[in-house]
Amino acid sequence: QVQLVESGGGLVPAGGSLRLSCTGSGNTATILGMGWYRQAPGNQREWVASITVGGITKYADSMKGRFTISRAKYGNTVYLQMTNLNSEDTAVYFCNANLVAGRNAWGQGTQVTVSS
């Protein structure tokens, strides 16, 4: 019932920045919170950041303060501002929505590639 679409990925040099966007559609009234995950080749999918409907944000320790998750005041869009990117950040980044009744939704993912 909820669809998520990510955008903003691409190729960026080490030390650069990118801003990812995720827009939800469908029955967005069921969304309790949203977040970002990433998965690099050969690695497990890892949690990056999350934001609740109340605006509380959390981050994985490995992000080291370089990433910021935010949401549009109106609408169904969340963002991930990434700075000081390095090769370890190369991955497919997925948007996730935590829904009512223990359900969740996932986007298709957007590729972020950081050159060495």
Side-chain angles (χ1 to χ4, degrees):
Q1 291 286 83
V2 173
Q3 296 79 44
L4 304 174
V5 178
E6 305 97 334
S7 63
L11 178 64
V12 61
S17 301
L18 281 176
R19 190 192 194 198
L20 306 182
S21 299
C22 173
T23 299
S25 62
N27 192 12
T28 56
T30 62
I31 297 176
L32 300 177
M34 299 181 70
W36 291 92
Y37 291 71
R38 70 184 185 184
Q39 187 167 20
N43 291 4
Q44 294 182 322
R45 183 175 298 186
E46 65 174 333
W47 169 68
V48 173
S50 61
I51 185 167
T52 70
V53 294
I56 300 174
T57 59
K58 295 181 179 179
Y59 301 90
D61 290 342
S62 60
M63 302 303 106
K64 298 180 176 67
R66 298 178 296 115
F67 293 3
T68 301
I69 187 171
S70 62
R71 68 184 184 192
K73 186 172 181 64
Y74 304 102
N76 306 300
T77 300
V78 297
Y79 307 96
L80 185 68
Q81 179 68 50
M82 306 184 293
T83 61
N84 297 318
L85 290 165
N86 58 67
S87 61
E88 295 182 2
D89 298 315
T90 295
V92 177
Y93 285 72
F94 297 91
C95 182
N96 167 261
N98 182 30
L99 311 178
V100 296
R103 298 181 175 87
N104 62 273
W106 293 91
Q108 294 286 336
T110 184
Q111 176 71 49
V112 172
T113 302
V114 183
S115 61
S116 301

